[in-house]
């Protein structure tokens, strides 16, 4: 993505991996601690949309229901 100009060049790939894994791990932990109290799939997809928009060149961040 960085070579094609789709992902910001200043984003370090290792840091992006840590951010993504940490975000999804946190969502899963919150979901389990809440006794599956929110839709895991929808929350994870909303977080993924947010992260991809933040990492991408020229894309705006859509506001979703991220828990």
């Amino acid at each position: 993505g960085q070579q094609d100009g789709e992902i910001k060049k200043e984003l370090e790939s290792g840091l992006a991996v840590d951010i993504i894994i940490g975000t999804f791990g946190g969502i899963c932990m919150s979901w389990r601690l809440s006794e599956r109290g929110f839709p895991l799939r929808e929350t994870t997809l909303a977080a993924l949309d947010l992260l991809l928009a933040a990492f991408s060149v020229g894309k705006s961040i859509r506001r979703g229901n991220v828990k």
Side-chain angles (χ1 to χ4, degrees), residues 7-59:
I7 296 179
K8 296 177 181 177
K9 292 190 184 294
E10 64 270 10
L11 179 64
E12 184 182 323
S13 61
L15 180 58
V17 169
D18 289 344
I19 291 169
I20 291 168
I21 290 173
T23 298
F24 295 155
I27 290 170
C28 288
M29 182 180 290
S30 294
W31 180 71
R32 300 245 352 234
L33 290 173
S34 72
E35 297 179 6
R36 300 179 175 125
F38 58 89
L40 180 61
R41 177 178 163 74
E42 289 82 3
T43 303
T44 301
L45 290 175
L48 180 60
D49 284 344
L50 181 74
L51 290 173
L52 290 177
F55 295 162
S56 297
V57 173
K59 291 196 177 178

